[in-house]
């Protein structure tokens, strides 16, 4: 066989072997890529994303798009070839699998966690938006979930409003744990609660619940340090002066909070918040309107620009990372609170973009 032919054959066989190895060798990595964006002022799957009743709303225009990231599933085994492609691809990021699914988290566990975070982000978005508008919101502490097999199972229920523990009024979720852990495991603790059904009925009628119940529980021993527990998770529950519904499915995580809040503000104010401009963004939000950082920022800026956004509201703590790779035609606007975001939107709507606080690498 001529040397040239032999060399070509050997090279072809080696390339084929490498490709086969790339397909069959599994690596502990996952991939992130830009996901779809949703206009909080518009519709998704045929219905309005934000639905407000019992209060005057105003026409809106433009976009306030929340952004998402696609990730490979917990059970997906990435091969070496896919990892190499992801590393060199412009619009994808390959990260250690453990970063997305720590401690062997399953798809089911991840979905449940994301759903809870998404629900909480909606609640905080409503609170932050109404506070931004000066509309009063009533807060109360309620049972969020009950651990199966715990002392509270069958005695306390999700939605029960916790008024007091051992006669001491409860003002914040952390108060519950502090009061319970004053006991030793095996001791009795008394909860004063308004049952979930009665609390919901009173809220719907716009009244305060008329009756309370005493629930006596025997504390159990927690794993680890053995402190006393009853097996509930308490959260702050809010009573809103009018119904606000967020209709968006197949989305999870806490990062849409800022954009939901701004969408609510826009619908409840006569001024057009965007001035018809295409704005996208991301960021968690707490009840006081503080904007927090999120993951996958570069994927979200790419997705926003591909959807048509010209401005991207970026959490302050994500600014440096996002500014390292800004998509052409997209301006990254630094925000720390919902008030910051509202001021920047006012500048965008008026065309005063030179005054925007933009993200920089430093």
């Amino acid at each position: 066989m001529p040397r040239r032919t032999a060399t070509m054959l050997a090279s072809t066989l080696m390339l084929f072997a490498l490709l086969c190895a790339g397909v069959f060798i599994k690596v502990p990595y996952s991939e992130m890529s830009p996901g779809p964006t949703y206009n909080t002022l518009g519709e998704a799957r045929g219905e309005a994303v934000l639905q407000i009743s019992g209060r005057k709303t105003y026409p809106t225009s433009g976009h306030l798009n929340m952004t998402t990231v696609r990730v490979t599933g917990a059970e997906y085994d990435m091969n070496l070839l896919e990892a190499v492609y992801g590393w060199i691809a412009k619009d994808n990021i390959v990260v250690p699998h453990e970063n997305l699914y720590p401690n062997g988290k399953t798809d089911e566990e991840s979905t449940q966690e994301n759903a809870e975070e998404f629900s909480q982000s909606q609640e905080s978005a409503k609170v932050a938006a109404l506070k931004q508008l000066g509309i009063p919101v009533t807060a109360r502490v309620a049972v969020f979930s009950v651990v199966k097999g715990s002392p509270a199972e069958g005695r306390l229920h999700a939605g029960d409003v916790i008024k007091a523990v051992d006669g001491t009024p409860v003002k914040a979720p952390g108060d519950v744990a502090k009061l319970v852990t004053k006991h030793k495991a095996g001791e009795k603790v008394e909860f004063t609660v308004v049952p979930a059904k009665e609390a919901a009925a009173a809220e719907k009628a716009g009244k305060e619940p008329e009756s309370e119940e005493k629930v006596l529980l025997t504390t159990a021993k927690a794993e680890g340090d053995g402190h006393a527990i009853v097996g509930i998770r308490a959260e702050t529950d809010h009573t809103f002066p009018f119904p606000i519904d967020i209709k968006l499915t197949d989305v999870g995580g806490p990062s849409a909070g800022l954009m939901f809040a701004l969408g609510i503000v826009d619908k409840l104010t006569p001024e057009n918040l965007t001035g018809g401009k295409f704005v996208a963004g991301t960021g968690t939000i707490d009840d006081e309107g503080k904007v927090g950082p999120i993951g996958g920022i570069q994927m979200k800026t790419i997705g926003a620009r591909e959807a048509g956004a010209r401005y991207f509201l970026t959490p302050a703590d994500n600014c440096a990372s996002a500014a390292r790779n800004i998509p052409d035609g997209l301006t990254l606007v630094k925000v720390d609170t919902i008030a910051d975001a509202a001021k920047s939107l006012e500048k965008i709507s008026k065309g005063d973009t030179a005054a925007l606080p933009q993200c920089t690498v430093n």
Side-chain angles (χ1 to χ4, degrees), residues 327-355:
D328 292 340
L330 190 67
T331 298
L332 302 186
V333 182
K334 180 180 178 181
V335 296
D336 195 54
T337 65
I338 187 175
D340 290 344
K343 290 176 183 176
S344 289
L345 287 174
E346 183 179 357
K347 291 181 174 68
I348 292 170
S349 68
K350 293 179 178 179
D352 187 17
T353 56

Side-chain angles (χ1 to χ4, degrees), residues 305 309-311 326-331:
R305 187 67 190 101
R310 300 300 302 273
Y311 305 92
I326 304 175
D328 292 340
L330 190 67
T331 298

Side-chain angles (χ1 to χ4, degrees), residues 317-329:
D317 289 342
N318 287 125
C319 259
S321 176
R324 293 191 186 100
N325 186 21
I326 304 175
D328 292 340

Side-chain angles (χ1 to χ4, degrees), residues 135-203:
I135 300 173
V137 178
T138 302
R140 59 192 185 183
V141 178
V143 177
F144 181 78
S145 60
V146 179
V147 177
K148 188 175 182 180
S150 70
E153 185 181 16
R155 306 293 307 285
L156 296 177
H157 306 85
D160 288 351
V161 176
I162 305 172
K163 304 291 288 185
V165 175
D166 291 330
T168 301
V170 168
K171 297 182 179 180
D175 294 344
V176 178
K178 289 178 182 178
L179 292 167
V180 170
T181 54
K182 286 184 177 180
H183 293 270
K184 294 180 180 179
E187 292 182 347
K188 301 287 186 181
V189 59
E190 183 185 75
F191 279 72
T192 304
V193 302
V194 177
K197 288 184 178 180
E198 184 174 333
E203 180 179 350

Side-chain angles (χ1 to χ4, degrees), residues 253-276:
S255 63
L258 171 63
M259 303 312 291
F260 283 144
L262 291 172
I264 293 168
V265 170
D266 200 1
K267 284 180 172 287
L268 290 174
T269 52
E271 297 82 9
N272 192 325
L273 211 57
T274 68

Side-chain angles (χ1 to χ4, degrees), residues 13-341:
L13 291 174
M14 184 176 293
L15 178 60
F16 180 74
L18 289 172
L19 289 173
C20 288
V23 170
F24 291 107
I25 295 176
K26 304 301 180 182
V27 292
Y29 289 93
S30 294
E31 184 178 79
M32 303 171 66
S33 59
T37 74
Y38 301 93
N39 185 10
T40 60
L41 302 177
E43 295 186 348
R45 300 175 182 86
E47 62 179 344
V49 174
L50 297 176
Q51 300 181 11
I52 302 172
S53 56
R55 182 89 174 193
K56 184 176 181 179
T57 58
Y58 300 87
T60 59
S61 66
H63 289 71
L64 284 172
N65 280 39
M66 57 159 286
T67 50
T68 65
V69 174
R70 288 193 180 97
V71 297
T72 49
E75 277 74 43
Y76 181 77
D77 289 325
M78 178 175 285
N79 62 49
L80 181 60
L81 195 62
E82 290 171 321
V84 171
Y85 176 79
W87 277 319
I88 63 176
K90 181 180 179 181
D91 295 346
N92 297 346
I93 294 179
V94 174
V95 298
H97 186 80
E98 183 71 12
N99 287 8
L100 299 179
Y101 304 100
N103 302 318
K105 185 186 297 181
T106 65
D107 278 326
E108 183 177 353
E109 291 170 337
S110 180
T111 298
Q112 177 62 30
E113 181 180 303
N114 285 335
E116 290 179 2
E117 290 177 338
F118 189 60
S119 176
Q120 184 58 50
S121 76
Q122 294 179 48
E123 185 84 356
S124 293
K126 297 173 189 178
V127 176
L130 296 189
K131 285 186 176 181
Q132 172 70 11
L133 295 170
I135 300 173
V137 178
T138 302
R140 59 192 185 183
V141 178
V143 177
F144 181 78
S145 60
V146 179
V147 177
K148 188 175 182 180
S150 70
E153 185 181 16
R155 306 293 307 285
L156 296 177
H157 306 85
D160 288 351
V161 176
I162 305 172
K163 304 291 288 185
V165 175
D166 291 330
T168 301
V170 168
K171 297 182 179 180
D175 294 344
V176 178
K178 289 178 182 178
L179 292 167
V180 170
T181 54
K182 286 184 177 180
H183 293 270
K184 294 180 180 179
E187 292 182 347
K188 301 287 186 181
V189 59
E190 183 185 75
F191 279 72
T192 304
V193 302
V194 177
K197 288 184 178 180
E198 184 174 333
E203 180 179 350
K204 188 174 182 180
K207 301 178 180 178
E208 286 294 321
E210 295 181 357
S211 62
E212 300 173 348
E213 293 183 2
K214 307 288 186 181
V215 179
L216 195 63
L217 302 174
T218 302
T219 59
K221 184 184 294 186
E223 294 182 7
D225 62 6
H227 66 269
I229 60 171
V230 294
I232 65 168
R233 175 181 166 190
E235 294 284 355
T236 301
D237 184 42
H238 297 91
T239 302
F240 299 104
F242 49 88
I244 304 174
D245 291 322
I246 299 177
K247 302 290 187 179
L248 195 59
T249 58
D250 301 327
V251 179
S255 63
L258 171 63
M259 303 312 291
F260 283 144
L262 291 172
I264 293 168
V265 170
D266 200 1
K267 284 180 172 287
L268 290 174
T269 52
E271 297 82 9
N272 192 325
L273 211 57
T274 68
K277 304 295 195 306
F278 197 135
V279 181
T282 189
T284 65
I285 199 164
D286 66 15
D287 293 352
E288 303 306 316
K290 173 71 175 176
V291 177
I294 51 80
I297 186 66
Q298 292 183 353
M299 298 297 95
K300 291 187 175 183
T301 58
I302 292 171
R305 187 67 190 101
E306 289 177 347
R310 300 300 302 273
Y311 305 92
F312 191 89
L313 303 180
T314 312
D317 289 342
N318 287 125
C319 259
S321 176
R324 293 191 186 100
N325 186 21
I326 304 175
D328 292 340
L330 190 67
T331 298
L332 302 186
V333 182
K334 180 180 178 181
V335 296
D336 195 54
T337 65
I338 187 175
D340 290 344

